[in-house]
Amino acid sequence: MIKSLRTAAAVLTTAVSALALTALGPTGTASAVVQDVTCTPPSSNTATYNPPLTMTPRDGTLTGTAQYGPCVSVSNPAITSGSSGGTTTVSGRTCLDLLQSGTSAFTITWNTGQTSTISANRTSTIAGGLLVVTNTGTVTSGVFAGSTVVRVITSPATDITLCTLGLGTVSSVYSLITLKIISL
């Protein structure tokens, strides 16, 4: 147990040291890394599938609604929350599609009325009974344009796992969101 704690402490110390070196410029001064905005849970997303997803490919609609907040922005302190969402038609979709990698594009409307349009790569994994979807990309237009985006969406995977086994359907998925937009 003590050896495990020492190993964990050593790994954490190494990671913090590497992060500190990354943030320092060649002369030891801080680089221009700016945390444009961070939004943490209870930020959430709800995706609703009509008809519900099964293992049989079906056409239908996907309605997504994301609420971001509380949000903290160093570069734009007036931003404290945001939202995104819409409805799209999907063709031949199954519950296995929830586990696929791909691309995502979405626009966040901030409480200030400003928008950020984001283009990202998406990966999905199931770990410890949770579906974890990670979007990594860039703000392509609007406030924070050119900044790096990391959005992690986490939800229970029970319905998805049952569906992939042919034992159920997925009518909706409720998730918690962590969003970070960072200027380098």
Side-chain angles (χ1 to χ4, degrees), residues 23-87:
L24 295 177
T27 61
T29 59
S31 66
V33 175
V34 176
Q35 189 84 25
D36 285 327
V37 67
T38 299
C39 303
T40 57
S43 296
S44 63
N45 183 72
T46 302
T48 305
Y49 303 94
N50 186 18
L53 298 177
T54 66
M55 283 301 291
T56 303
R58 294 200 256 178
D59 298 345
T61 59
L62 163 61
T63 302
T65 306
Q67 298 295 322
Y68 301 92
C71 301
V72 176
S73 175
V74 173
S75 60
N76 193 338
I79 290 179
T80 58
S81 64
S83 63
S84 63
T87 300

Side-chain angles (χ1 to χ4, degrees), residues 27-172:
T27 61
T29 59
S31 66
V33 175
V34 176
Q35 189 84 25
D36 285 327
V37 67
T38 299
C39 303
T40 57
S43 296
S44 63
N45 183 72
T46 302
T48 305
Y49 303 94
N50 186 18
L53 298 177
T54 66
M55 283 301 291
T56 303
R58 294 200 256 178
D59 298 345
T61 59
L62 163 61
T63 302
T65 306
Q67 298 295 322
Y68 301 92
C71 301
V72 176
S73 175
V74 173
S75 60
N76 193 338
I79 290 179
T80 58
S81 64
S83 63
S84 63
T87 300
T88 186
T89 301
V90 293
S91 299
R93 192 122 191 212
T94 72
C95 47
L96 288 175
D97 291 321
L98 299 175
L99 306 175
Q100 300 299 315
S101 296
T103 58
S104 296
F106 54 97
T107 299
I108 298 173
T109 301
W110 301 105
N111 63 293
T112 60
Q114 298 168 295
T115 60
S116 296
T117 299
I118 297 161
S119 179
N121 291 315
R122 179 187 71 251
T123 60
S124 301
T125 59
I126 291 183
L130 297 174
L131 173 67
V132 180
V133 178
T134 304
N135 294 274
T136 306
T138 309
V139 178
T140 57
S141 65
V143 67
F144 311 125
S147 295
T148 299
V149 177
V150 177
R151 180 175 75 164
V152 179
I153 303 170
T154 307
S155 60
T158 306
D159 288 347
I160 298 162
T161 301
L162 289 172
C163 185
T164 60
L165 295 172
L167 302 173
T169 64
V170 177
S171 58
S172 66

